């Protein structure tokens, strides 16, 4: 069976997803996963996302969310975003330099909360929105008075009330030897080809949310690359060739 070839982490995720279907069938009511990252979402969709007799879907609090909850529903059930039991903590800081995503996440996790209970955290100046599981939202609000040493005001709001800031990018223009993954990664990260190959072979690069260890993989326009320790990028445009047959490429880095 294909299941036998999965790594332990994937086996556990698959087993937990199977449990959602089993419990949905047994109790005839919706069942939900914790928040899943994009690689986990891809895996769930590939291995267990569609089943006859059920409906299913992902939601993370807003349409472009990176971390999402997977919900399984009886076939007759018409679900909405409210079914996913996600609330938002709105943090407001009155003055000073804006805090970072790491500041807010670190404060929440310092309470002993599992990362899987938290979704995206969006920072917009001195305001931040943390999407979290509904069952922990009051606990966090009652426990947190400061983030990174700065006093904050915290409100619990619905997902619809969150003001999602526009995603910002840094545009990077590079020249790559080819559209091979290692070549694009080397140009994009300003690394040697050998170091780029090592990043690929050690599983530190994902293409479209799936880890690949194939340095020769051919990329296409629109591919999303995530590199541990470096960030997240989009292969936004593939231009013409130089006289030496290298390619002009435009990369957008999430910031």
């Amino acid at each position: 069976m294909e299941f036998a070839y999965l790594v332990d982490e994937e086996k556990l995720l698959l087993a937990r997803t199977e449990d959602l279907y089993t419990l949905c069938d047994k109790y005839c009511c919706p069942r939900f996963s914790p928040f899943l990252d994009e690689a986990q979402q891809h895996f769930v969709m590939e291995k267990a996302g569609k089943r006859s007799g059920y409906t299913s879907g992902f939601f993370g609090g807003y349409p472009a969310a990176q971390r999402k909850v997977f919900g399984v529903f009886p076939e007759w059930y018409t679900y909405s975003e409210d079914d996913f039991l996600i609330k938002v903590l709105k943090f407001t800081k009155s003055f000073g330099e804006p805090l970072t995503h790491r500041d807010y996440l670190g404060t929440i996790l310092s309470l002993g909360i599992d990362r899987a209970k938290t979704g995206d955290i969006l920072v917009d100046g001195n305001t931040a929105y943390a999407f979290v599981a509904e069952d922990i939202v009051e606990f966090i609000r009652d426990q947190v008075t400061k983030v990174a040493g700065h006093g904050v005001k915290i409100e619990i709001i619905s997902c619809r009330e969150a003001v999602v800031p526009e995603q910002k990018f840094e545009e990077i223009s590079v020249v790559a030897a080819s559209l091979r993954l290692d070549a694009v990664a080397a140009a994009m990260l300003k690394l040697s080809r050998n170091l780029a190959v090592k990043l690929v072979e050690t599983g530190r690069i994902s293409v479209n949310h799936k880890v690949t260890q194939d340095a020769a993989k051919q990329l296409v326009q629109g591919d999303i690359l995530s590199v541990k320790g470096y960030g997240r990028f989009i292969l936004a445009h593939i231009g013409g060739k130089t006289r030496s047959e290298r390619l002009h490429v435009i990369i957008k880095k999430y910031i």
Side-chain angles (χ1 to χ4, degrees), residues 8-242:
D8 290 344
E9 184 178 333
E10 290 176 334
K11 286 182 180 180
L12 181 59
L13 178 56
L14 183 57
R16 287 176 174 172
T17 305
E18 296 286 354
D19 285 344
L20 298 180
Y21 286 101
T22 300
L23 292 171
C24 178
D25 185 57
K26 181 177 180 179
Y27 296 106
C28 204
C29 63
R31 284 292 182 267
F32 302 94
S33 74
F35 282 95
L36 305 175
D37 63 28
E38 291 170 310
Q40 291 170 323
Q41 294 167 41
H42 180 90
F43 177 81
V44 167
M45 278 302 299
E46 187 177 58
K47 303 297 182 183
K50 298 292 183 182
R51 294 288 176 85
S52 176
Y54 305 88
T55 58
S56 61
F58 291 92
F59 183 60
Y62 65 105
Q66 293 181 27
R67 294 176 60 81
K68 296 180 181 180
V69 170
F70 179 64
V72 175
F73 308 88
E75 189 173 32
W76 49 265
Y77 193 101
T78 302
Y79 70 88
S80 72
E81 295 174 351
D82 294 331
D83 288 305
F84 285 81
L85 305 179
I86 297 172
K87 290 290 185 182
V88 183
L89 291 163
K90 179 182 178 181
F91 294 82
T92 306
K93 176 173 165 287
S94 58
F95 58 88
E97 288 295 315
L99 299 173
T100 67
H101 177 280
R102 181 176 294 181
D103 292 327
Y104 291 102
L105 179 59
T107 297
I108 292 172
L109 297 186
S110 72
L111 300 175
I113 290 171
D114 191 326
R115 180 68 173 106
K117 283 282 192 179
T118 66
D120 289 4
I121 299 175
L122 307 176
V123 182
D124 187 14
N126 282 330
T127 302
Y129 299 93
F131 295 80
V132 302
E134 186 177 73
D135 61 348
I136 63 168
V137 70
E138 291 185 3
F139 173 74
I140 297 172
R141 180 199 59 190
D142 295 343
Q143 293 295 316
V144 174
T145 58
K146 292 184 177 181
V147 175
H150 297 271
V152 292
K153 175 186 174 183
I154 304 178
E155 302 172 69
I156 298 174
I157 63 174
S158 69
C159 294
R160 292 184 182 87
E161 295 175 282
V163 180
V164 178
E166 182 181 355
Q167 177 65 59
K168 296 179 181 178
F169 300 92
E170 175 189 355
E171 190 168 287
I172 305 167
S173 180
V174 301
V175 176
S178 71
L179 289 176
R180 282 174 49 121
L181 176 56
D182 57 350
V184 172
M188 178 177 78
L189 303 175
K190 295 181 172 59
L191 299 175
S192 70
R193 190 74 168 264
N194 287 339
L195 285 176
V197 169
K198 286 183 180 179
L199 286 176
V200 177
E201 292 179 344
T202 55
R204 292 181 61 187
I205 299 184
S206 298
V207 179
N208 298 326
H209 321 308
K210 188 173 184 179
V211 173
T212 178
Q213 293 176 289
D214 178 10
K217 179 179 177 63
Q218 292 290 311
L219 301 179
V220 298
Q221 189 166 301
D223 279 347
I224 298 174
L225 284 73
S226 298
V227 187
K228 290 182 181 178
Y230 290 90
R232 195 161 177 256
F233 308 82
I234 299 175
L235 181 52
H237 179 71
I238 300 168
K241 292 183 178 182
T242 67

